[in-house]
Amino acid sequence: MTETRISRWYFGGIASCAAACCTHPLDLIKVHLQTQQEVKMRMTGMAMQVVRSDGVLALYNGLSASLCRQMTYSMTRFAIYETVRDKISTRNQCPMPFYQKILLAAFGGLTGGFIGTPADMVNVRMQNDVKLPQELRRNYAHALDGLLRVWREEGIRKLFSGASMAASRGAMVTVGQLSCYDQAKQLVLGTGLMTDNIFTHFVASFIAGGCATVLCQPMDVVKTRLMNSKGEYTGVIHCLSDTGKLGPKAFYKGLVPAGIRLIPHTVLTFIFLEQLRLYFGIRVVTST
């Protein structure tokens, strides 16, 4: 008899929240870089400007919205992916093929991205507030205040502004993170050189973070611009064409800070997730 442990459906959301608390300043700087009309500042300069103008705590603007987003977007995508994957793998007594992991991750990310759009929009607005003049700032007290004010002042449809891009981006980043992590971990363990330990989790999640960054960056840029707009874009196509006028590199604006944010976030998420699974996961006993 062999005993293994599988994740509970909500572990992904908890792990993502823990990772978000560590990487939020990097996410905030990434949003600031993406919403520049012209490339005026690099990552370090933007961070220094935020600290000089509003203090160190300004690097954590929008943290409540970021956590709200993780508890909607990430919890949904992890719950769908891990629950279905574990059931199929347990039933078949073997890992899912990679193409099935990709399809499942895309579906989970698409669903999670749509559900998490309102919190994501408020997150972008709260992070970008420090760049605006005092008279133009929205000054949301916290994520719930932001959600309620957008609903009252701009209507429920505005809460889902950029939902198509958020869902598409969610699908791409989930493919990059979850399916690539699973496959990388499976390949690393398959070599027989490493065991299922924290170093293996680090290597597999680092690879997954790199894949996710490259896959989702163009959609992330367009999504951020749509969510932060004040009505200047009529839709996704208009935003795409307007961004395209700045040149192909505009779609990869903030790639380095996005990678510096997303790779550590991915690494921390999976390390936290694996520790939750190891110590608090559901016990599954199988005969050998």
Side-chain angles (χ1 to χ4, degrees):
M1 305 290 282
T2 58
E3 179 185 304
T4 58
R5 288 184 179 267
I6 61 174
S7 292
R8 299 179 188 274
W9 67 270
Y10 52 86
F11 279 1
I14 296 172
S16 296
C17 283
C21 289
C22 301
T23 62
H24 187 77
L26 296 170
D27 193 26
L28 179 135
I29 293 165
K30 178 204 72 172
V31 168
H32 283 207
L33 287 168
Q34 287 177 346
T35 51
Q36 293 181 110
Q37 285 302 315
E38 298 174 10
V39 180
K40 297 177 182 176
M41 290 190 187
R42 301 296 179 187
M43 185 176 178
T44 307
M46 185 66 78
M48 293 302 294
Q49 184 193 9
V50 171
V51 172
R52 276 197 304 267
S53 61
D54 291 271
V56 176
L57 290 179
L59 291 171
Y60 279 90
N61 279 348
L63 179 60
S64 63
S66 181
L67 295 178
C68 182
R69 176 176 177 262
Q70 297 302 335
M71 291 303 288
T72 51
Y73 159 63
S74 285
M75 186 173 285
T76 301
R77 67 194 183 110
F78 271 95
I80 291 171
Y81 180 84
E82 297 216 311
T83 303
V84 175
R85 180 204 63 190
D86 290 340
K87 284 187 177 180
I88 292 175
S89 298
T90 302
R91 186 185 64 198
N92 297 340
Q93 295 293 305
C94 65
M96 288 175 65
F98 187 43
Y99 79 91
Q100 289 184 6
K101 292 176 185 174
I102 290 174
L103 293 173
L104 179 58
F107 175 73
L110 200 71
T111 307
F114 181 79
I115 291 172
T117 298
D120 199 6
M121 187 190 69
V122 172
N123 181 34
V124 168
R125 287 185 171 189
M126 289 179 74
Q127 288 177 349
N128 202 53
D129 236 18
V130 294
K131 283 174 63 180
L132 301 174
Q134 286 289 345
E135 65 274 12
L136 295 178
R137 292 186 181 184
R138 297 180 174 98
N139 293 319
Y140 299 147
H142 45 74
L144 186 59
D145 176 52
L147 290 168
L148 290 172
R149 278 181 55 188
V150 173
W151 189 353
R152 286 198 304 264
E153 297 167 13
E154 302 173 63
I156 194 167
R157 287 186 65 182
K158 189 63 178 179
L159 281 173
F160 288 90
S161 172
S164 58
M165 290 307 301
S168 302
R169 187 247 183 205
M172 297 302 286
V173 75
T174 306
V175 167
Q177 284 183 328
L178 275 66
S179 60
C180 289
Y181 174 79
D182 267 357
Q183 197 66 19
K185 181 182 172 185
Q186 186 180 324
L187 292 172
V188 168
L189 292 175
T191 63
L193 301 173
M194 297 169 70
T195 58
D196 191 0
N197 56 28
I198 199 164
F199 184 68
T200 300
H201 305 156
F202 173 82
V203 171
S205 57
F206 190 89
I207 294 168
C211 293
T213 303
V214 174
L215 280 172
C216 75
Q217 186 61 13
M219 290 183 178
D220 200 21
V221 169
V222 175
K223 180 206 70 159
T224 299
R225 285 174 170 266
L226 278 170
M227 289 182 171
N228 198 54
S229 70
K230 292 181 180 290
E232 59 263 40
Y233 300 124
T234 56
V236 174
I237 303 301
H238 184 201
C239 186
L240 279 167
S241 62
D242 191 61
T243 307
K245 289 175 184 175
L246 302 173
K249 288 185 179 179
F251 289 104
Y252 282 91
K253 186 184 288 185
L255 179 64
V256 172
I260 291 172
R261 176 257 169 190
L262 187 56
I263 292 173
H265 180 83
T266 304
V267 169
L268 289 169
T269 296
F270 283 109
I271 286 176
F272 288 140
L273 180 65
E274 292 284 8
Q275 294 305 303
L276 285 169
R277 178 184 62 81
L278 182 63
Y279 291 105
F280 305 106
I282 302 168
R283 294 175 57 202
V284 176
V285 179
T286 55
S287 56
T288 56

